[in-house]
Amino acid sequence: MVKLVSIEEVYSSKSGSLKTSAMLKISPNVKSKITLADTTKPSLVNVDLSAKNWSLSHDTKSKDTTFRANWKPSSDVKVNMTQKIPGNKAYLVPNPHIKVTKTGVFGKGSNSVAVEHDMMQRRSGATLSLYAGEDKRYKLKLSSSTSKGGFMQASTGMLRSKLAKGTLLHSASISGSTKAQVMTLKSRLGSDMKTKMSYSTSNQSLSMVGIQMSNVDGHKVRTTLTVSAPVHQMNKPQVQVGVKLDL
């Protein structure tokens, strides 16, 4: 029996659209998410099917269909496979994106090395993630990728530090490349509210996200507010508001 699990409304001031999403439980292991957009008239945007180890989505505007699957050949190895069919061009299949992640490379723990290859875009990449300190307090992430010609295209890095428990500021991080960086600060205002503020040097923009969890008549409600604007045009922000109700 199909059961309605949750309803979500998201409004964006940039596009002036209101998107409504409904999550349906089709079977004990399979869920479906249907998204509608309402600008001048309602229109179907996305249809998603998901289970524990796979998902299938279709974008009605771009006509792109994406299938994702993941499995673990062993306890420390995980394989992620993504097959995209752009514009319903089925003749491009199979050309998947494969990513293999191995944990515990440098001793026990969450330290990992991931290698990936996109057959459709003919690009490869590798990512190294290292953790240190209690509760993974420090994290260093280094990534590199190649272009279609096989030449090194980009190298990025991320350094994050969790701060002492009980402080307003929960974590601070900086990520990016030599050309552009993103600085992020995260805070937890109690157990039911958290915020994130990011500054990007590439477009000199500031973004702030606030998430509030609440309970209404026994139902969980998540309210999300996102505000972003270039630092030299703070009087013209872009606002997105979302409300999700779990039934």
Side-chain angles (χ1 to χ4, degrees):
M1 181 178 180
V2 178
K3 180 182 178 181
L4 181 62
V5 177
S6 65
I7 297 176
E8 184 175 12
E9 299 274 358
V10 178
Y11 171 77
S12 173
S13 65
K14 181 179 180 180
S15 60
S17 65
L18 177 66
K19 289 186 178 180
T20 302
S21 299
M23 181 68 77
L24 306 173
K25 190 173 184 180
I26 299 177
S27 71
N29 299 316
V30 179
K31 292 182 179 180
S32 175
K33 183 178 181 181
I34 300 174
T35 303
L36 301 173
D38 185 7
T39 48
T40 55
K41 60 179 181 179
S43 59
L44 183 64
V45 179
N46 284 90
V47 178
D48 301 275
L49 286 174
S50 63
K52 182 179 179 180
N53 298 317
W54 62 268
S55 67
L56 179 66
S57 63
H58 180 71
D59 188 315
T60 59
K61 186 176 181 180
S62 64
K63 297 182 180 179
D64 293 345
T65 301
T66 305
F67 174 75
R68 295 181 176 88
N70 66 82
W71 64 93
K72 300 188 72 172
S74 62
S75 60
D76 58 350
V77 176
K78 183 176 182 180
V79 180
N80 292 82
M81 188 274 289
T82 302
Q83 176 63 68
K84 187 174 182 179
I85 308 175
N88 288 337
K89 298 175 182 178
Y91 60 85
L92 294 175
V93 178
N95 270 305
H97 179 180
I98 304 292
K99 180 178 180 181
V100 181
T101 304
K102 180 174 176 56
T103 57
V105 177
F106 304 99
K108 296 181 179 180
S110 300
N111 298 328
S112 65
V113 172
V115 292
E116 56 188 301
H117 181 68
D118 190 328
M119 297 182 184
M120 187 173 295
Q121 298 297 329
R122 290 180 291 167
R123 292 174 179 171
S124 300
T127 301
L128 171 66
S129 299
L130 300 175
Y131 296 88
E134 184 182 355
D135 191 30
K136 303 178 184 177
R137 183 171 184 179
Y138 304 103
K139 179 181 180 181
L140 174 64
K141 185 176 181 179
L142 301 173
S143 303
S144 63
S145 60
T146 63
S147 62
K148 288 186 177 181
F151 300 100
M152 187 64 66
Q153 182 184 40
S155 294
T156 60
M158 188 274 285
L159 179 63
R160 184 217 65 198
S161 174
K162 293 181 181 179
L163 304 180
K165 293 182 179 179
T167 59
L168 181 64
L169 189 60
H170 174 65
S171 68
S173 67
I174 181 169
S175 61
S177 62
T178 55
K179 295 182 180 180
Q181 298 80 41
V182 177
M183 290 161 280
T184 303
L185 301 175
K186 293 182 180 181
S187 300
R188 288 182 179 174
L189 310 177
S191 60
D192 56 358
M193 186 175 182
K194 55 185 178 180
T195 62
K196 181 175 74 172
M197 182 172 67
S198 301
Y199 172 72
S200 174
T201 60
S202 62
N203 53 12
Q204 297 185 343
S205 63
L206 188 66
S207 174
M208 291 172 284
V209 180
I211 300 176
Q212 171 73 52
M213 303 298 296
S214 57
N215 194 296
V216 178
D217 295 332
H219 301 287
K220 292 182 179 180
V221 179
R222 185 187 70 187
T223 304
T224 305
L225 173 64
T226 304
V227 181
S228 60
V231 292
H232 58 279
Q233 288 184 322
M234 296 300 289
N235 60 332
K236 297 180 180 180
Q238 295 177 1
V239 180
Q240 181 173 293
V241 181
V243 179
K244 181 182 178 183
L245 172 65
D246 290 339
L247 303 174

